[in-house]
Amino acid sequence: MAKTDNKTSVPKRRANNGKLSFGGKWQYAKAPESTDHVAIEDRYGLFIGGAWVRPKSGKYFATINPATEKKIAEVAQANKKDVDAAVQAAKKALPAWRKLSGDDRARFLFRIARILQERAREFAVLETLDNGKPIKETRDVDVPLAAQHFFYHAGWADKLELLFPGEKPEPVGVVGQIIPWNFPLLMAAWKIAPALAAGNTVVIKPAETSPLTALRLCEVFEQAELPAGVVNVVTGDGSTGAALVRHPDLNKVAFTGSTEVGKEIQKAVAGRSVDLTLELGGKAAHLVFEDAALDQAVEGVVRGIFFNQGHVCCAGSRLIVQESVHDLFVRKLQRRMARIRVGDPLDKNTDMGAIHSSEQLMRIRGLVQSGVDEGAVLFQPKCALPKNGFWFVPSMFTGVTQSHRISREEIFGPVLSVSTFRTPEEAVKKANDTSYGLSAGIWTDKGARILWVASRIRAGIVWNNTFNLFDAASPFGGYQESGFGREGGRQGLRAYVKLRSGLLPG
Ligand code: ADP
């Protein structure tokens, strides 16, 4: 695709001084000053077989900045033929890639991780522009964690046989991956890194409203001289995703997104010999006991629901607090919420950025209205919102019952619902009263209580005295309608290998 002069300039900012917000443990690598200007093309093609190609559909659509509603760029709408070309490219690249030694594959992954670190600032700015999330989150969480996923999986690429002792791990083959808009770069890294480490080749489809960092990642692949066709990126909407999961030459599908679409995909692969992992919605319980360090718990609850505007499948959206400290805790939360800075995502002081899309804003508004209609009590601090763009004030409902829609349905926005419990048994019962099971959080001073509660909660991840802390070594995934399969850690790699019994030669 032709380069253009359409450059988006952002003001010079200081690199992160190593301070962390929202719990990320991985530090931002100081980026070169030259990335203060992020060059963005007018139009992007598809990345297939190591080359940028025009879509056979001839169609493009716009991706906008949710904080301004201004168009950033146009991206290609891939159709069935484009998807087929991408799958064929992945298929062609497979024999050579899987034959490479783990050590050689690791070299590519290490290189990708290093380049991501070097270009961290550029990726952070681009992600913030395309997604609407605050720069301090893209800078301190999204980009460093994306690099960490490549580093982590590079480390396993030549040690797979140690991970699965007595068995011979082999790549699954050509993998189709579909990702959502809430963590565009990070989700791409979560999906691509383990697939490549295990010797698979990939066709990945980013979400239609946030495709730019996945496309930019292709530049990193080019820079790292990743062999052509090992990763192919097709942009487009749900129809592109549907064409991908239906492609007969796929050996595995990995999906992160809504429970609704997850069910569609399950139907589409049923009866075919295609492996499937699904990471879907959530409605996490966040339990606060009366003996918890309440001020710390307030910070954890704020991080749990307002991080990334609440566009987080594992968000702690249901606060269930012990009755004896309910009033005090709610007052503390209200004071803290009044200090959340909502606004320009490119400002490093911003805590909460823009809602990702007008559709998502409508959904949030609709569910908040249902909370009011059903009799819960809404608290919203005074908060000046920008005129253009999509915005929502940090919100909290008290007096919520288990039957309220706001307590049952995933809002995927900055809306906390608060209810109470008296005994640990009741806390567990309420926490488990959900169709989901992705994550949960517990705040208490008592170690024995943490173990007692955590072992009874049906959720893939249970955070103790912290929340929304991620690490490539830690498996992530759900129960029930939150999906199946794990990403990250040994369990995550398991989904990208086939195991043959015994250490067979060859
Ligand atoms: P979200 O709630 O994050 O918008 P979606 O499940 O709608 O979640 O979208 C997640 C990803 O799934 C996006 O990349 C989207 O384009 C894709 N997608 C949407 N519909 C389908 C479908 N029927 N088959 C495959 N992928 C789809």
Side-chain angles (χ1 to χ4, degrees), residues 23-191:
K25 154 175 142 195
W26 294 88
Q27 298 197 357
Y28 173 69
K30 194 172 185 307
E33 292 300 310
S34 61
T35 55
D36 276 355
H37 292 274
V38 176
I40 301 175
E41 296 182 26
D42 280 341
R43 212 172 226 207
Y44 287 87
L46 305 166
F47 190 69
I48 296 179
W52 292 97
V53 299
R54 290 174 199 282
K56 295 186 204 303
S57 71
K59 291 190 183 143
Y60 294 85
F61 62 94
T63 179
I64 65 164
N65 178 342
T68 60
E69 297 174 63
K70 287 200 178 123
K71 176 167 138 184
I72 309 175
E74 285 187 359
V75 296
Q77 167 68 36
N79 65 13
K80 217 172 148 184
K81 286 185 182 154
D82 295 307
V83 167
D84 181 55
V87 173
Q88 295 316 325
K91 217 172 145 181
K92 192 170 158 206
L94 183 65
W97 181 249
R98 66 181 291 166
K99 241 171 91 183
L100 272 191
S101 68
D103 186 39
D104 283 337
R105 285 201 305 274
R107 268 179 236 274
F108 285 107
L109 292 175
F110 274 125
R111 234 186 257 170
I112 292 165
R114 289 293 298 135
I115 297 169
L116 256 177
Q117 283 189 322
E118 280 159 19
R119 296 176 65 169
R121 176 178 197 86
E122 172 193 354
F123 272 93
V125 171
L126 192 61
E127 192 79 305
T128 284
L129 289 171
D130 203 20
N131 174 280
K133 64 171 80 191
I135 190 81
K136 74 175 169 193
E137 288 178 14
T138 51
R139 184 193 65 186
D140 296 347
V141 181
D142 298 62
V143 181
L145 262 180
Q148 191 213 5
H149 272 266
F150 282 103
F151 275 124
Y152 176 81
H153 288 99
W156 279 125
D158 61 350
K159 303 174 193 70
L160 291 173
E161 295 194 356
L162 296 179
L163 263 187
F164 307 105
E167 296 180 282
K168 188 170 169 50
E170 293 181 339
V172 177
V174 176
V175 181
Q177 303 178 322
I178 298 175
I179 54 173
W181 46 258
N182 57 338
F183 291 94
L185 175 69
L186 184 55
M187 286 297 116
W190 274 36
K191 294 256 181 301

Side-chain angles (χ1 to χ4, degrees), residues 83-360:
V83 167
D84 181 55
V87 173
Q88 295 316 325
K91 217 172 145 181
K92 192 170 158 206
L94 183 65
W97 181 249
R98 66 181 291 166
K99 241 171 91 183
L100 272 191
S101 68
D103 186 39
D104 283 337
R105 285 201 305 274
R107 268 179 236 274
F108 285 107
L109 292 175
F110 274 125
R111 234 186 257 170
I112 292 165
R114 289 293 298 135
I115 297 169
L116 256 177
Q117 283 189 322
E118 280 159 19
R119 296 176 65 169
R121 176 178 197 86
E122 172 193 354
F123 272 93
V125 171
L126 192 61
E127 192 79 305
T128 284
L129 289 171
D130 203 20
N131 174 280
K133 64 171 80 191
I135 190 81
K136 74 175 169 193
E137 288 178 14
T138 51
R139 184 193 65 186
D140 296 347
V141 181
D142 298 62
V143 181
L145 262 180
Q148 191 213 5
H149 272 266
F150 282 103
F151 275 124
Y152 176 81
H153 288 99
W156 279 125
D158 61 350
K159 303 174 193 70
L160 291 173
E161 295 194 356
L162 296 179
L163 263 187
F164 307 105
E167 296 180 282
K168 188 170 169 50
E170 293 181 339
V172 177
V174 176
V175 181
Q177 303 178 322
I178 298 175
I179 54 173
W181 46 258
N182 57 338
F183 291 94
L185 175 69
L186 184 55
M187 286 297 116
W190 274 36
K191 294 256 181 301
I192 294 170
L196 299 197
N200 304 280
T201 56
V202 166
V203 178
I204 186 165
K205 192 200 86 67
E208 50 272 46
T209 49
S210 58
L212 296 183
T213 45
L215 291 167
R216 182 85 32 148
L217 197 53
C218 301
E219 290 180 17
V220 172
F221 298 148
E222 286 179 307
Q223 209 179 329
E225 296 177 358
L226 187 71
V230 170
V231 179
N232 306 272
V233 176
V234 287
T235 48
D237 58 12
S239 67
T240 310
L244 180 57
V245 297
R246 280 174 178 75
H247 198 289
D249 292 349
L250 286 190
N251 303 107
K252 173 179 165 59
V253 170
F255 171 77
T256 299
S258 61
T259 297
E260 249 174 6
V261 173
K263 285 179 183 171
E264 284 290 309
I265 290 176
Q266 231 173 337
K267 281 187 217 152
V269 304
R272 293 161 50 196
S273 70
V274 174
D275 291 357
L276 177 65
T277 42
L278 297 175
E279 200 263 275
L280 309 175
K283 193 74 197 174
H286 208 157
L287 307 180
V288 176
F289 286 83
E290 61 187 4
D291 62 2
L294 292 187
D295 290 329
Q296 283 176 31
V298 165
E299 290 307 311
V301 169
V302 164
R303 181 164 67 219
I305 187 63
F306 301 119
F307 168 61
N308 203 30
Q309 296 72 246
H311 301 329
V312 184
C313 42
C314 56
S317 51
R318 289 186 295 141
L319 170 63
I320 310 177
V321 57
Q322 197 150 15
E323 202 175 78
S324 49
V325 290
H326 170 269
D327 294 356
L328 173 64
F329 198 75
V330 164
R331 276 200 303 279
K332 282 177 182 283
L333 262 178
Q334 288 175 335
R335 275 204 297 276
R336 180 65 180 83
M337 283 169 66
R339 297 205 318 270
I340 293 174
R341 286 158 299 200
V342 184
D344 180 6
L346 280 172
D347 184 331
K348 69 182 188 313
N349 294 312
T350 293
D351 298 314
M352 237 180 74
I355 297 301
H356 181 64
S357 65
S358 60
E359 291 77 19
Q360 191 56 30

